[in-house]
Amino acid sequence: MSDLAMAIDHLAAEDPMELPAGLLVEQLIDLHWQMARLQAQIARRTCVRAPVN
């Protein structure tokens, strides 16, 4: 979860207008996948869905 927090903080500290579009897209995709992994972890820990093996 600390990776997700760091990614959010990193994006929040930057002005999107100063970033090349490719870098911004890369960061947003990375953030998306980190959020998806976090949601899966939460779901497993709260028994919302069974873990996939």
Side-chain angles (χ1 to χ4, degrees), residues 6-33:
M6 288 187 334
I8 291 171
D9 290 343
H10 182 70
L11 286 175
E14 294 180 299
D15 181 1
M17 298 302 290
E18 296 176 357
L19 296 173
L23 179 59
L24 183 59
V25 168
E26 181 181 316
Q27 289 181 343
L28 290 173
I29 290 171
D30 184 51
L31 181 58
H32 166 79
W33 285 111

